[in-house]
Amino acid sequence: MKRKYNILRWPVHTLKACVNELKLVMGDVGVLVFFVLVSIAYPILYSLIYNTEMAHDVRVVVVDDDRSAESREFVRALDATSEVKVIGYAANMQEARTQMCEHNCYGIINLPRDYALCLGRGEQAHVNIYCDMSVMLRYRQILMSTTAVQLTLSSHIQKAKASVIPINIGGGTIDNEQVALGNTAMGLGSAVLPCILVLVLQQSMILGVGMLHGGARDRRRRFGGIDPEEYDAVALVSVVGRALAHLLVYAVPAVYALLVVPKFFDFPQNGPIIDIVAMALPYLIACSFMSQTFKIFVRGRESTFITMVFTSIIFVFLSGISWPRSSMSQLWITLGNMVPSTWASQGYIAMQSNGASLAAQSHAYMMLWVLCGFYLVSAVLIEAFVARKQTRNPRKRQY
């Protein structure tokens, strides 16, 4: 017989559903691994990977086909940078490739035969760069140092040309100085890790909720369509009660990942703590409701890994960390807007890197609350009309 609940007692049933969910979480080692261990270990692991921030003295070889004073000046200037170390010259590209294959160097700088000739004619000269892409930090340092040297030498050439002009042009050439505002270390870790820290919380919750749902389906198969560990309540009460439990479990991991880990590894920490906590609240709620929506794709505990793990890569790209959202098509921008980590990472990066307040990130903050409402409706519909029918009538469905 189906129970009838007085709507005035829904808060009580919500708390009971929350307590029941907490019992399921604490009694399941696999779920605890995702909810707690992953949320604690992964931020440390990723931070250690990018802890170097900047690579120095990346070894390169030079193939100088021009053999002119200008090409030698370029090589000396490149070797003087802190990012690159020229270990020697190679007679040709084949010899340089051999050294790279033997890991004696991680980059090849090729100066073509017409390098000095193009500079003398006032034409654009080219420098070819070949990099080992196995480690992005090395590629970044070689590219940035080579570009900086080329810009500096070009500036000197422009100044030399301007000095022989008899007309007073009102000053010298424009000096270029780069000043880092948020990411003062100009490191890859400080640029990437804030988004990763936010994404880890979302992905671990998706996997943990999927495993809980898979466990419930397994119990129903064993007990003839009945889950003895479930608190039977209306769909809205069940969804909100579970979300409250997830929020309580993630309170400490969220503070740890968003506030403590940046202090350990000296990542940018310019955001007001109260604003970061305020941004995290709707983010965790939206993640819980989205996880309860995505659980429809889970057919068992083991299938969680097959159906959910791959979404990490998709969400990383949609957040704009790998490819700027401004360069995405409208389709991908719309899909990214439907993912809580997209808005949370934008707000978190703006706060921590540039010291933005919650008021300055009001759009991202409001979008997180909009996603809370959207995924609440979807989770309730899934719970009421899909998940319960699939699990409570196992004889009518082939698994």
Side-chain angles (χ1 to χ4, degrees):
M1 174 180 271
K2 187 176 181 179
R3 295 183 182 180
K4 295 183 179 179
Y5 292 99
N6 187 345
I7 192 172
L8 297 179
R9 291 186 57 81
W10 276 16
V12 176
H13 295 301
T14 301
L15 291 177
K16 290 182 178 180
C18 172
V19 172
N20 186 73
E21 185 77 358
L22 287 174
K23 290 180 179 178
L24 293 176
V25 171
M26 298 304 173
D28 193 320
V29 177
V31 175
L32 283 176
V33 167
F34 284 118
F35 277 6
V36 180
L37 185 59
V38 169
S39 300
I40 292 177
Y42 270 44
I44 293 292
L45 177 62
Y46 282 112
S47 299
L48 287 174
I49 293 175
Y50 293 101
N51 190 35
T52 307
E53 289 273 12
M54 304 282 285
H56 298 283
D57 290 334
V58 180
R59 299 192 300 273
V60 299
V61 296
V62 176
V63 179
D64 188 0
D65 292 330
D66 190 48
R67 302 177 186 274
S68 62
E70 290 80 2
S71 64
R72 289 191 292 272
E73 181 184 4
F74 181 91
V75 175
R76 286 195 297 269
L78 182 64
D79 190 36
T81 62
S82 61
E83 295 84 7
V84 171
K85 178 180 181 180
V86 178
I87 63 173
Y89 286 83
N92 50 51
M93 287 298 299
Q94 184 59 42
E95 181 181 340
R97 290 193 187 98
T98 301
Q99 294 194 41
M100 180 176 287
C101 292
E102 295 175 352
H103 299 289
N104 295 325
C105 65
Y106 302 103
I108 301 173
I109 308 298
N110 175 232
L111 295 158
R113 295 180 183 276
D114 59 350
Y115 178 77
L117 181 62
C118 291
L119 292 179
R121 291 177 176 177
E123 301 174 357
Q124 185 177 20
H126 298 274
V127 177
N128 302 318
I129 306 174
Y130 303 89
C131 300
D132 181 0
M133 297 294 293
S134 59
V135 179
M136 291 296 295
L137 283 174
R138 294 170 183 158
Y139 159 74
R140 176 180 179 272
Q141 296 300 80
I142 295 174
L143 178 62
M144 290 187 61
S145 60
T146 307
T147 303
V149 169
Q150 191 76 335
L151 290 175
T152 302
L153 295 180
S154 299
S155 177
H156 292 166
I157 294 174
Q158 292 295 329
K159 287 182 179 180
K161 289 183 178 181
S163 62
V164 299
I165 299 178
I167 302 176
N168 185 2
I169 59 176
T173 57
I174 300 175
D175 292 329
N176 185 3
E177 182 180 0
Q178 185 176 9
V179 179
L181 297 177
N183 184 2
T184 55
M186 297 184 65
L188 191 60
S190 297
V192 173
L193 259 298
C195 180
I196 298 298
L197 296 177
V198 171
L199 188 63
V200 164
L201 298 175
Q202 174 181 281
Q203 291 307 107
S204 62
M205 189 179 297
I206 290 177
L207 293 171
V209 172
M211 184 169 287
L212 283 171
H213 180 67
R217 292 178 65 93
D218 292 341
R219 287 192 297 270
R220 292 187 184 282
R221 293 190 186 99
R222 294 197 304 267
F223 295 101
I226 300 174
D227 182 5
E229 299 183 13
E230 180 191 32
Y231 179 76
D232 191 16
V234 296
L236 178 60
V237 169
S238 297
V239 170
V240 175
R242 292 168 187 160
L244 181 58
H246 302 157
L247 187 62
L248 293 175
V249 172
Y250 269 83
V252 174
V255 172
Y256 166 80
L258 301 180
L259 297 177
V260 178
V261 172
K263 290 184 179 294
F264 284 165
F265 296 94
D266 200 24
F267 295 141
Q269 307 163 53
N270 302 316
I273 295 178
I274 188 64
D275 290 351
I276 295 175
V277 173
M279 179 74 72
L281 176 62
Y283 172 60
L284 294 177
I285 297 174
C287 288
S288 176
F289 290 149
M290 184 178 71
S291 301
Q292 295 185 64
T293 300
F294 285 2
K295 72 181 184 181
I296 188 178
F297 301 108
V298 177
R299 294 292 180 264
R301 288 175 64 87
E302 295 77 11
S303 65
T304 304
F305 301 96
I306 301 175
T307 57
M308 295 299 179
V309 170
F310 80 96
T311 59
S312 302
I313 301 176
I314 298 176
F315 292 153
V316 166
F317 280 95
L318 292 178
S319 67
I321 187 176
S322 299
W323 188 260
R325 281 168 54 83
S326 58
S327 301
M328 295 181 184
S329 65
Q330 189 58 44
L331 172 63
W332 297 114
I333 292 177
T334 302
L335 292 177
N337 291 342
M338 299 175 65
V339 182
S341 59
T342 300
W343 297 107
S345 61
Q346 290 183 10
Y348 181 68
I349 291 173
M351 290 178 181
Q352 288 288 61
S353 296
N354 299 322
S357 63
L358 186 64
Q361 293 300 309
S362 59
H363 179 64
Y365 183 68
M366 292 305 300
M367 284 302 299
L368 286 173
W369 283 114
V370 170
L371 290 179
C372 286
F374 173 78
Y375 282 114
L376 171 62
V377 174
S378 64
V380 170
L381 293 177
I382 292 296
E383 179 70 18
F385 300 106
V386 180
R388 294 190 176 187
K389 289 184 178 181
Q390 289 179 347
T391 57
R392 295 187 179 184
N393 299 280
R395 296 181 180 85
K396 296 181 180 180
R397 185 176 180 86
Q398 297 296 326
Y399 291 96

